[in-house]
Amino acid sequence: MKTNFIKTKYGNFAVKNFSASPSSKKGIIFFSGLGVNSAIYDYFNLANNIKNECANLNIICADMLNCGLSSKSSNQNRNINQISTELNRLCNELQLEKLIIVCHSFSAIYLLNIINNPQSFISNYQINGLVTIDPTNPQFMLENSYIFNEMLSEEIKNKELVQNGKSPDIRLDDVNPLLPDKLKKDCLSLYRSLSGNDQLIAEITNAKDSINKVASLTVPNALPTLCFISTLNSDEYTENNPYFNKNKLSMEVKLNGHHYLHWLFPEVISRNITEFSLNLLENN
């Protein structure tokens, strides 16, 4: 699977443009959540579905630094400000004027930070819409921060396995089940090679502080949002969903499934993202 690399002073981002439109200055970019996951593998099927209806848009999957096929970051500080800065730099380097940003899980935290602090992030692009797939709810995570402790213990264990020449255990439910067999095998091998790395451990260690920074933030009402919530975690959003607002173009969609909704409902989610994006990018 051919990917390209965008070089920045922070590191080299692996990106795959599923529907390259050189003449277009508009696009949809996908980011994965906390961990070693690759957006290129995670959203492979979704991006292929969307490109058929969005031929005039750039459909881009980008691996965050220290994740997937991207390089490690040159900065050892894995806090919210540093990671947000890296993602903003990548979006600038894409040379696109209008973007729909799609986030899964914890990456939504970083975009919530960028969107609410425009004075801190110089941007040559405009975020026209935000799509979140079972995003991390800050208030819920503050009340259940033990989850981060469990993740940290797991990654420290994986690091010890690697140091002892053993292969970390990767749960198959963390690998996109819709991938072709060859790509699924490559993805599993990649995740094993990245598990337990120091920068991932540092990001998890700082996760609670990252949550605290955005705990009181919500997406501004002027920004259209499309939020997919799983029934598994829907109770977290009963009283407050910081990723859904009063914008007349915003939508909240609840789907009966687990955390990786884009693997369970690729057709439903891709269709909704397509309609949402075309309405915001091609009709404006």
Side-chain angles (χ1 to χ4, degrees):
M1 181 171 58
K2 180 177 174 54
T3 59
N4 295 314
F5 290 88
I6 294 180
K7 296 182 179 181
T8 73
K9 66 179 181 180
Y10 304 111
N12 301 331
F13 289 89
V15 299
K16 180 172 176 58
N17 196 333
F18 285 76
S19 178
S21 302
S23 62
S24 174
K25 291 295 183 180
K26 304 173 182 180
I28 306 172
I29 184 168
F30 295 81
F31 294 114
S32 289
L34 181 61
V36 299
N37 281 46
S38 161
I40 295 171
Y41 287 116
D42 280 5
Y43 294 110
F44 181 84
N45 309 85
L46 213 62
N48 274 314
N49 285 346
I50 293 172
K51 74 176 184 181
N52 295 327
E53 303 296 330
C54 299
N56 294 324
L57 301 179
N58 293 279
I59 312 300
I60 300 167
C61 291
D63 290 353
M64 298 167 64
L65 296 181
N66 312 311
C67 302
L69 299 165
S70 290
S71 74
K72 290 185 177 180
S73 173
S74 61
N75 194 307
Q76 300 298 313
N77 295 321
R78 308 318 298 154
N79 54 49
I80 189 171
N81 287 333
Q82 177 58 35
I83 296 173
S84 298
T85 297
E86 292 170 358
L87 294 184
N88 181 63
R89 171 49 51 195
L90 170 62
C91 290
N92 277 319
E93 293 294 333
L94 293 174
Q95 299 296 308
L96 299 178
E97 296 173 358
K98 296 184 177 182
L99 284 175
I100 302 295
I101 298 184
V102 183
C103 306
H104 174 237
S105 193
F106 204 79
S107 59
I109 294 296
Y110 302 128
L111 268 298
L112 197 60
N113 183 44
I114 292 172
I115 290 167
N116 280 279
N117 293 285
Q119 71 283 355
S120 302
F121 302 101
I122 298 174
S123 304
N124 60 15
Y125 62 95
Q126 176 182 341
I127 300 176
N128 288 71
L130 179 68
V131 179
T132 55
I133 301 175
D134 213 38
T136 296
N137 186 306
Q139 293 298 333
F140 176 84
M141 292 307 297
L142 285 177
E143 296 168 4
N144 297 272
S145 58
Y146 70 90
I147 296 173
F148 294 128
N149 295 332
E150 292 176 351
M151 293 178 66
L152 185 60
S153 296
E154 182 178 358
E155 289 307 320
I156 290 174
K157 178 182 177 181
N158 285 337
K159 179 179 178 179
E160 292 173 351
L161 287 171
V162 172
Q163 290 175 335
N164 291 323
K166 298 179 180 179
S167 179
D169 291 327
I170 301 296
R171 294 188 296 269
L172 287 178
D173 55 4
D174 283 336
V175 176
N176 181 356
L178 303 177
L179 286 170
D181 288 343
K182 171 64 166 61
L183 294 184
K184 192 182 300 182
K185 182 179 179 181
D186 291 344
C187 181
L188 185 59
S189 176
L190 176 66
Y191 291 176
R192 281 180 176 149
S193 71
L194 293 173
S195 293
N197 74 75
D198 287 335
Q199 296 201 350
L200 171 58
I201 289 173
E203 185 178 1
I204 297 173
T205 301
N206 290 323
K208 188 175 180 180
D209 287 339
S210 296
I211 291 290
N212 270 310
K213 184 173 178 62
V214 300
S216 62
L217 300 181
T218 60
V219 176
N221 281 332
L223 181 67
T225 62
L226 171 58
C227 184
F228 297 97
I229 301 173
S230 71
T231 51
L232 176 67
N233 301 319
S234 61
D235 288 349
E236 301 173 21
Y237 301 90
T238 301
E239 296 183 4
N240 174 47
N241 181 357
Y243 306 101
F244 178 67
N245 54 32
K246 297 178 181 179
N247 190 291
K248 64 181 181 180
L249 296 175
S250 293
M251 293 178 287
E252 188 177 48
V253 181
K254 185 183 294 186
L255 296 171
N256 185 22
H258 54 59
H259 192 44
Y260 292 97
L261 291 172
H262 41 305
W263 298 347
L264 287 176
F265 306 99
E267 291 82 11
V268 172
I269 291 180
S270 59
R271 183 171 64 250
N272 276 273
I273 292 177
T274 294
E275 293 176 358
F276 180 75
S277 301
L278 290 178
N279 188 42
L280 293 173
L281 296 180
E282 290 208 336
N283 298 331
N284 292 294

